[in-house]
Amino acid sequence: MLLEVRNLSTHFETDGRIVKAVDDISYCLDTGETLGVVGESGCGKTVSALSLLRLIKDPPGRIVQGEIMFEGKDLLALSEEEIRAVRGNRIAMIFQEPMTSLNPVHTIGFQVMEPLMIHKGLSRSDAMRECIELLKTVQIPDADIRARAYPHQFSGGMRQRVMIAMGLACAPRLIIADEPTTALDVTIQAELLELMKRLTVVKGTALIIITHNLGVVARYADKVMVMYAGRIVEKADTRDLFRAPGHPYTRALLESVPRLDQDLKVKLRPIEGQPPDLAMLPSGCAFHPRCPQCMDRCRHEAPALKNVAERHEVACWIHD
Amino acid sequence: MREYILKRVLISFAILFFVSILIFVLGRVLPGDPVQAALVASRMGPLSDEVIADVRAQFGLDRPLHIQYILWVSSFVQGDWGVSIASGERVLDMFMHRLPVTLELFFGSVIWAFIIGLPLGIVSALRRNSWLDVTVTTGAILGVSIPVFWEGIVMIYLFAVLTHIFPPSGYVPLSESVTGNLLSVAMPTFVMGTHGAGLFSRYVRSSLLEVLGQDFIRTAYAKGLPRKTVILTHAMKPAMIPVVTVVGLTWGYVVAGAFIVEYMFAIPGLGRMGVNAIFANDFPVIQATLVMVAVNILVVNLLVDLLYAYLDPRVRVQR
Amino acid sequence: MALVRHRVAFAGLVILLGLIVMAAFAPVLAPYDPNEQDLYQVLQGPSRQHLLGTDDVGRDLLSRVIYGSRVTLAMGILSTLFAAVIGILAGLVAGYKGGIWDAVIMRITDTFMCMPALVLALVIVAALGPGMKSVVISITVLAWTGFARITRGQVMIVRELPYVEAAHALGASGYRIMFRHLLPNVMAPLIVTATISVGMNIMLESAVSFLGIGVQQPTPSWGNELRIGYSYLEIVPLFSIAPGLMITLAVLAFNFLGDGLRDALDPRLRGEEKAGS
Ligand SMILES: Nc1ncnc2c1ncn2[C@@H]1O[C@H](COP(=O)(O)OP(=O)(O)OP(=O)(O)O)[C@@H](O)[C@H]1O
Ligand SMILES: [Mg+2]
């Protein structure tokens, strides 16, 4: 197993309130696999990814418990220097905001070269050569000229390509792609995912794709993890999840997005209500105030993940 | 970029035009006829109206106002700045003679402002909300609030009267003695630079904090860079670029400071010349001083803007 | 930081109230008549009788410093008021009328911006002749531009708002609209500007008086006390240091308060440092 996350919890403390942004999540990922993480805005997807690289700013955030076994080592037990050797090298993260995630005062080339120089010890000129190759792989035209340009001279899509090149630079074993939600238009987004998938498949790189878009999951992910209010509510192979969604929240999610394989006459239903305030979670199951199948028990007891089929776990009392 | 420079230069010239009008008007509306003053100063005793009218004509003061203005500007541009009423010297010569002294003070005060304000602003941002941060932020307000003349007095009392570290006043030219020169300008430049130091530390702090909150800082950490590298190569550069504008913001204080500080510390520069001219109603000198103050401030602000544009790739390199 | 900020603003308020009390109750607080000379007791250091010592003609320094608060505060506040009235009017006209009015008024403010206030103040005061009146006039002439700029900027924003346009459509007269609808919206930034401006004006007045062409003896102002005291710095340091400290405290108080008000009235979000190790 490449990555095994066990009982990871990350909390934020602001104004004396504790926000359980990630609450006791466990999952694993094998070399070459792609995991899709879905859930509404604010459910803890980004925080759970940042926690893997220990990029949570403390204060206000803190990883309060858990183990993150990666290539046989617990990332949470590494020294500062050791975790730095993992960041950008063994695990790369591609951030959600292409417009703001690149440094405006350094050239694209410099920013792509940086991980090569610190992790691989390449000289400036070697790193530059490598960087131009990388920019070519992510299909940036005139890569050798564009390497000397600054981020503001690039469009959003091109910047996202640069981010991908940066992530690929050290040939990491795991890439986490926090999907740009609002910044890019859908076709560019699809193009980029396609590119990333292609580039990682050949090298057997594992991929975590964080997204709102179930279409993306269906297309690229081997398995899926559905998050709600900092917890995992359903975990399954992609095919199984779409065939037999086990959690009412997953079903609501599926009904709220258009699907290509669906008759256009089927009405889309947005999920009613608001995601809960993570600092004041409802008692019992966090989803119960919005759940169409809410039972008495749901109000008092929180369900744990349980196997409903082989490699298909759901946290819901209806399967009890 | 070229277009930008051109535009900024044109704006500066336009403002200079208005300033010249203001100075010209000031010279006409303010009581105290320059000719009268000149005649009184030359101790010619009471004069008949005819003589006065004669002299006025000689100065071109009987011509229509706009002609007078044009005459004044054209002679000023050609280097004819008039003659001091008090001393009879050519104003341009007086100016050139004292310019190096004041330039040294300007230079020194900016250096003080930098070496005090920059590091304090940086530590205060990096140690946010610590006692050090609170001290620096509060000290910065003190720095911008403290009047130069009082700061000067306290400095003189502490470092010249009580401890004799620095001379209480006077100026030793660089050509005479390097140490003597540095000792003589240390206190005056410090006093002139305090306002800038306060402003710098404030701007550096807030600019660095703002940059540290940006997404690209997270990207830098995610690459595996150590904190030191993240701060030095990724945070400092974008944070420091806007800080150069502080030089422009504080420049007015530096220039005004020169007037008081040179007067207090008996430094033979342009500020002292200006103050003495004001005391003596020496109009040609006052006029030249005002023009050069405005030119100075405009040029410095222009240079700051251009430097800023040059440093920031978002302005320098067009799409 | 918010707490610290407020604490600083609070400190400013406390100092300010102290100064106002000092000015208001000067006759009660001052141990001596500020103008009473005692030529047998000149340039004394601090003593039981004269807590801060005496000046060059034997007047009690403490009393002169206390009375000086009246002159200095009054001039700082008065010139700010005049400047605010002129500046706000000019800004309203510039912002609302636009066109040539706007161009002229804004070019005038540009012009003043590239001259340090102190230098112009010196020239104007010297030309008008020394004294309180000239100081107030010159500072007013210099200080109105800040108010004008802010008012104009806000007016430009506010006049596009629907209810202002609606008032216009209903036939309300131009000036009525200005005063009724626009002014309340520019109050917050103006109060901040005014607060900081009082501090600046106190500094200007003191500087002009320090150079000897502002408030004239025997009227006590902190600036002119400082001027005479400076000549005797080696003998009686308190003579110049005490009034200077008062000026600094006053300027600080207004700046602290202005800073706090700015934060309270215009809370800009300060960035948090992202992800760190
Ligand atoms: N720096 C922080 N301080 C306090 N709370 C935070 C911080 N960062 C995240 N949170 C909290 O953690 C929760 C999860 O945030 P996260 O960014 O992981 O959501 P997300 O699932 O990535 O949402 P999106 O799809 O909008 O990107 C949020 O509700 C937020 O309140
Ligand atoms: Mg996110």
Side-chain angles (χ1 to χ4, degrees), chain B residues 73-262:
Chain B
V73 170
S74 65
S75 56
F76 199 92
V77 170
Q78 286 163 30
D80 176 11
W81 293 9
V83 172
S84 161
I85 293 167
S87 68
E89 273 180 274
R90 290 182 56 213
V91 178
L92 183 62
D93 293 344
M94 293 170 75
F95 183 86
M96 287 306 177
H97 196 63
R98 290 165 175 78
L99 182 64
V101 178
T102 302
L103 282 184
E104 187 186 353
L105 293 188
F106 285 164
F107 191 64
S109 58
V110 171
I111 290 182
W112 275 118
F114 260 114
I115 61 173
I116 297 171
L118 228 54
L120 286 182
I122 292 170
V123 243
S124 134
L126 295 181
R127 300 253 175 286
R128 193 171 188 223
N129 293 343
S130 65
W131 64 268
L132 195 97
D133 181 25
V134 174
T135 315
V136 170
T137 7
T138 314
I141 307 186
L142 181 65
V144 299
S145 305
I146 192 167
V148 277
F149 44 89
W150 189 61
E151 194 188 348
I153 286 175
V154 174
M155 298 276 295
I156 291 174
Y157 183 66
L158 290 180
F159 298 109
V161 177
L162 281 186
T163 56
H164 307 289
I165 298 173
F166 298 109
S169 67
Y171 176 78
V172 180
L174 201 55
S175 52
E176 238 167 68
S177 146
V178 176
T179 26
N181 172 267
L182 291 181
L183 284 174
S184 70
V185 298
M187 282 203 290
T189 48
F190 181 88
V191 172
M192 282 164 70
T194 306
H195 180 271
L199 273 192
F200 266 119
S201 71
R202 269 169 100 157
Y203 271 72
V204 168
R205 178 182 181 276
S206 70
S207 172
L208 189 53
L209 277 180
E210 198 184 311
V211 169
L212 285 175
Q214 302 280 319
D215 288 333
F216 60 77
I217 294 299
R218 196 174 60 186
T219 310
Y221 278 117
K223 282 181 191 172
L225 299 176
R227 180 171 155 93
K228 213 168 87 194
T229 314
V230 173
I231 287 168
L232 288 178
T233 64
H234 284 270
M236 275 310 183
K237 198 172 169 198
M240 291 309 119
I241 290 170
V243 169
V244 300
T245 56
V246 173
V247 176
L249 290 180
T250 191
W251 198 250
Y253 286 84
V254 172
V255 172
F259 282 76
I260 293 187
V261 162
E262 288 183 8

Side-chain angles (χ1 to χ4, degrees), chain A residues 12-14 19 21 39-48 60-61 96 178 181 210 212 278:
Chain A
F12 289 95
E13 191 175 341
T14 40
V19 172
E40 286 168 296
S41 204
C43 69
K45 304 184 296 291
T46 300
V47 172
S48 69
Q96 213 169 17
D178 201 346
T181 43
I210 298 174
H212 292 167
L278 292 186

